Amino acid sequence: RLLDSLWRADSLWRRDWYAQAMRAELFLARGDRDSARAVVAAVARTAEGTLRATTRAGLSNDALVRGRLREAAALAAEADAAVAAMGGGSDEGVFVRAWSDAWYRDRKPEAVRVLDSLHADARWLRARAPADRGYALHGIIYARAGRPDRAAAMLARIAAEDPALARRAPAQLRALRADVAIARGAYAEALAVLRARRPLEVEGGPGDRFLEALAFDRMGQRDSALAAYE
């Protein structure tokens, strides 16, 4: 309520992109995805440079979650173009294509082919620092496309080239390890990985719960799977 009152009373607050990002996060925390998306879309209409790329990537991810695959791909392409206009490189479009194929379209071999082509491109490797190569996200896609060997290779690359990921994004790395275990059929191992959280992580996030439910479901423990989903 405080943020809403500031928003109505102060025009400078309404023009501040950081304040708008906070407002979008609060809507998400309330479970109001539509309002969060509307806030980001309003920023995206006039955003330039890095903010243009960031807002379009966020809208692309939202469209992907909603199953709007063509919209997600178009927004991802806009995000990539915004980064390219600044002289950088972005792989948002590749991620959306591979994720859509692996998870929504049941075109798992195509998802693997997209990622294999990317990682075989020496120019792409030279143009990206290890931390910017998306190894964890690509590994998760490989695992869900039924290729735990490729996913494990991403884990090996992280260990060799980007070991700081364990400190920077522990939840992402944990999800990758759990996904690899599930893809191998090692469901008990996946559950153990998900429960080995840091001391301050009292409860796992939605991603952890989803993977727990998936592991229980694959084990035939439907009641436990439903409890995790709920």
Side-chain angles (χ1 to χ4, degrees), residues 51-86:
L51 190 57
R52 178 180 177 84
T54 303
T55 53
R56 276 154 178 76
L59 291 171
S60 174
N61 288 335
D62 178 77
L64 195 59
V65 169
R66 295 169 187 262
R68 299 173 180 171
L69 305 185
R70 290 182 180 176
E71 179 184 343
L75 287 163
E78 290 181 18
D80 287 347
V83 174
M86 295 183 289

Side-chain angles (χ1 to χ4, degrees), residues 90-107:
S90 171
D91 307 308
E92 190 71 25
V94 171
F95 167 76
V96 168
R97 282 177 57 203
W99 186 264
S100 298
D101 285 334
W103 196 243
Y104 292 104
R105 291 186 169 124
D106 196 26
R107 294 167 49 183

Side-chain angles (χ1 to χ4, degrees), residues 149-184:
D149 56 327
R150 297 280 209 284
M154 296 297 101
L155 274 172
R157 286 192 176 186
I158 290 168
E161 302 172 28
D162 188 21
L165 182 65
R167 296 189 302 273
R168 197 171 65 246
Q172 193 177 77
L173 191 57
R174 184 172 62 239
L176 173 53
R177 288 172 175 151
D179 263 306
V180 172
I182 290 171
R184 286 175 169 162

Side-chain angles (χ1 to χ4, degrees), residues 133-158:
R133 292 175 186 165
Y135 289 147
L137 288 175
H138 294 174
I140 289 170
I141 296 173
Y142 272 131
R144 297 192 188 183
R147 292 303 303 266
D149 56 327
R150 297 280 209 284
M154 296 297 101
L155 274 172
R157 286 192 176 186
I158 290 168

Side-chain angles (χ1 to χ4, degrees), residues 209 212-230:
R209 291 304 186 197
E212 284 182 7
L214 187 60
F216 279 127
D217 186 56
R218 299 280 175 84
M219 295 168 75
Q221 297 182 23
R222 301 298 169 81
D223 290 342
S224 296
L226 286 172
Y229 277 128
E230 291 171 352

